[in-house]
Amino acid sequence: MYELVITEKPAAAKKIAESLADGKPIKESVNGVPYYKLTHGKKDIIVACAVGHLYGLAEKNKKGWTFPVFDIEWKPISESVKNSAFTKKYLNTLKKLAKGADSFTVACDYDQEGEVIGLNVVRYACNQKDAYRMKFSTLTKPDLVKAYESKSPHIDWGQAEAGETRHFLDWYNGINYSRALTASIKSVGAFKIMSTGRVQGPTLKIIVGRERQIKAFVSKPFWQIQLIGEKNEETITAWHKEDKFWEKAKADSVIEKTKGQKEAKIDKIERKQFNQMPPFPFDLTSLQVEAYRCFNISPKETLEIAQELYTFGFVSYPRTSSQQLPQAIGYGRILNDISKQKQYSELTKSLLKKNKLMPNNGKKTDPAHPAIFPTGIDPKGLNEKEAKIYDL
């Protein structure tokens, strides 16, 4: 008998197996699906993976194309979604491994989606009502060992039920509203598959409202006056204090008064000095905004890259709404590790000279994860965009 540890993706299974193994884990496979055998202390463990969602919501008894429909249940996603047929072999592998297990641990990403993935595998593939739960924010060995040693005796039912509720609401709204819209078009002799949902519909309404505002806007011309001068071979620029002139005659009057002038008088010079606080640590949204502002990388691609960096252990879990970094992550250790990366060596050494290391934490928090931070593991083989996101 052994403990079955269930992960969300194959790469995470490999990381967890390597971290928990007293020696080197043994990799085996069923129909090309990898899993790992290892010993941790006196405990025999098998680490096996899902590949994202293995179960999806579907009608219990489908009776054609009708609405509204509320009688739904979780079914293997390979049965209802054509391009998810490949997930069947992952589900079959987990079912096979579950038969020889005497305890079960969910080690999926610690968020609502990860909780739903783990819950469905536990109750439908493993035929269990509950399981242990590992909670971690980085795929580094110290964090994974700590997460295993201090695992919760239960699934996080709050997250699981919240995640399930979201899936049910998405199905109820998405399927029923889409079918109603399509049927309404069909009733007037046309046919077009319409799609809407809990998020899609309100978002479209906002976009339509904004587009109507843009189309209703009436442009009005204005004029601005800029002075370009030179002082001690330095270019000086200044804008007129009126900023925008809505009447051309007034702008022309100012130009007329300054025509032919070679000198300008400086009324006064003010100098100000202030301390600028460091920016807040990144939550996912602020990382996406900054990546687009600096590099024109789309929010979707930023998330995909950040998720990859997390999977390989280079940064912490990116799907967080926290702007706070707790002391528990170990600022000094992380900075020491980062100092071994050539491009950050001088910067980190200057920080480590400080008497006290304290981030400028923001107000936003997340009960599951801290703000996004680099783990200190030296990233190898990053492409250009990955390197830019890591650098942020």
Side-chain angles (χ1 to χ4, degrees):
M1 301 299 282
Y2 50 80
E3 177 181 3
L4 180 61
V5 175
I6 302 150
T7 73
E8 190 166 325
K9 293 177 182 176
K14 184 174 184 290
K15 283 277 185 184
I16 290 171
E18 289 172 345
S19 298
L20 296 184
D22 290 340
K24 190 175 181 181
I26 300 168
K27 181 180 179 181
E28 296 189 2
S29 65
V30 176
N31 296 323
V33 175
Y35 65 91
Y36 301 86
K37 290 182 175 180
L38 60 106
T39 302
H40 181 79
K42 295 181 180 180
K43 186 75 178 176
D44 290 330
I45 297 173
I46 287 182
V47 182
C49 63
V51 59
H53 284 281
L54 298 181
Y55 291 88
L57 289 171
E59 294 175 57
K60 280 187 180 179
N61 300 298
K62 192 167 184 178
K63 299 175 182 177
W65 202 77
T66 60
F67 70 91
V69 176
F70 298 103
D71 195 15
I72 58 178
E73 65 181 352
W74 291 103
K75 292 183 179 180
I77 201 166
S78 57
E79 297 176 7
S80 55
V81 182
K82 286 182 180 179
N83 61 6
S84 295
F86 73 97
T87 63
K88 184 176 182 179
K89 60 184 181 180
Y90 287 86
L91 181 55
N92 288 341
T93 299
L94 284 167
K95 285 181 176 179
K96 181 179 179 180
L97 294 172
K99 291 176 181 177
D102 59 357
S103 66
F104 301 84
T105 297
V106 173
C108 299
D109 290 346
Y110 187 47
D111 59 11
Q112 286 185 10
E113 288 304 295
E115 211 68 42
V116 172
I117 291 168
L119 171 64
N120 281 337
V121 169
V122 166
R123 63 184 173 184
Y124 298 127
C126 304
N127 294 315
Q128 301 293 310
K129 292 182 178 180
D130 202 351
Y132 292 101
R133 186 42 157 127
M134 286 174 61
K135 302 174 183 180
F136 47 86
S137 293
T138 72
L139 288 172
T140 59
K141 183 172 182 175
D143 279 7
L144 291 172
V145 171
K146 183 180 177 182
Y148 179 80
E149 299 294 350
S150 59
K151 59 189 175 184
S152 165
H154 304 288
I155 285 170
D156 189 324
W157 286 103
Q159 282 206 126
E161 289 167 0
E164 264 206 303
T165 301
R166 188 169 71 180
H167 276 274
F168 274 76
L169 288 174
D170 282 344
W171 202 98
Y172 291 151
N173 284 270
I175 297 297
N176 288 318
Y177 290 171
S178 296
R179 288 181 180 181
L181 280 172
T182 304
S184 68
I185 290 174
K186 191 177 179 182
S187 69
V188 295
F191 182 76
K192 185 177 178 66
I193 297 291
M194 298 297 290
S195 174
T196 188
R198 179 179 63 89
V199 176
Q200 189 180 346
T203 303
L204 181 60
K205 170 66 170 65
I206 292 167
I207 293 169
V208 169
R210 181 62 178 151
E211 185 63 24
R212 285 175 174 166
Q213 285 181 338
I214 292 169
K215 286 183 176 179
F217 176 76
V218 179
S219 62
K220 187 179 178 182
F222 62 86
W223 292 261
Q224 289 180 297
I225 297 173
Q226 184 183 28
L227 176 144
I228 302 174
E230 199 173 89
K231 171 73 173 174
N232 298 332
E233 297 184 354
E234 269 191 54
T235 300
I236 296 172
T237 61
W239 292 93
H240 194 278
K241 64 180 180 180
E242 288 292 322
D243 188 22
K244 295 179 178 69
F245 289 86
W246 297 101
E247 297 175 22
K248 187 174 184 295
K250 287 185 178 180
D252 288 340
S253 173
V254 173
I255 292 294
E256 191 62 36
K257 289 175 183 177
T258 59
K259 191 175 285 183
Q261 297 295 322
K262 300 296 182 185
E263 293 186 356
K265 180 182 176 183
I266 296 173
D267 185 48
K268 63 179 178 179
I269 295 174
E270 290 183 353
R271 287 188 175 91
K272 292 181 181 179
Q273 187 174 325
F274 63 94
N275 290 326
Q276 182 173 327
M277 293 295 288
F280 296 145
F282 281 130
D283 62 344
L284 175 58
T285 302
S286 58
L287 175 66
Q288 289 170 315
V289 169
E290 191 73 354
Y292 187 77
R293 186 183 73 83
C294 294
F295 308 124
N296 204 32
I297 300 176
S298 72
K300 181 175 182 289
E301 192 173 8
T302 295
L303 174 56
E304 289 170 355
I305 292 170
Q307 186 73 32
E308 282 295 300
L309 294 174
Y310 160 73
T311 301
F312 288 108
F314 302 145
V315 303
S316 64
Y317 189 64
R319 295 174 188 265
T320 176
S321 57
S322 176
Q323 295 175 317
Q324 298 186 5
L325 294 174
Q327 286 188 347
I329 68 172
Y331 313 135
R333 177 192 60 78
I334 291 171
L335 286 169
N336 266 312
D337 289 344
I338 293 174
S339 70
K340 296 168 188 173
Q341 300 174 36
K342 187 178 179 181
Q343 67 269 42
Y344 307 117
S345 179
E346 292 304 315
L347 291 167
T348 47
K349 283 176 182 175
S350 67
L351 281 173
L352 289 166
K353 288 177 183 176
K354 293 181 177 292
N355 293 327
K356 198 173 185 181
L357 289 169
M358 285 294 291
N360 180 31
N361 283 330
K363 292 181 179 180
K364 291 170 66 178
T365 60
D366 186 315
H369 299 283
I372 308 169
F373 63 91
T375 61
I377 295 175
D378 192 357
K380 304 290 186 183
L382 300 184
N383 63 34
E384 183 183 358
K385 287 186 178 179
E386 290 169 341
K388 284 177 177 178
I389 297 299
Y390 179 77
D391 189 63
L392 278 182

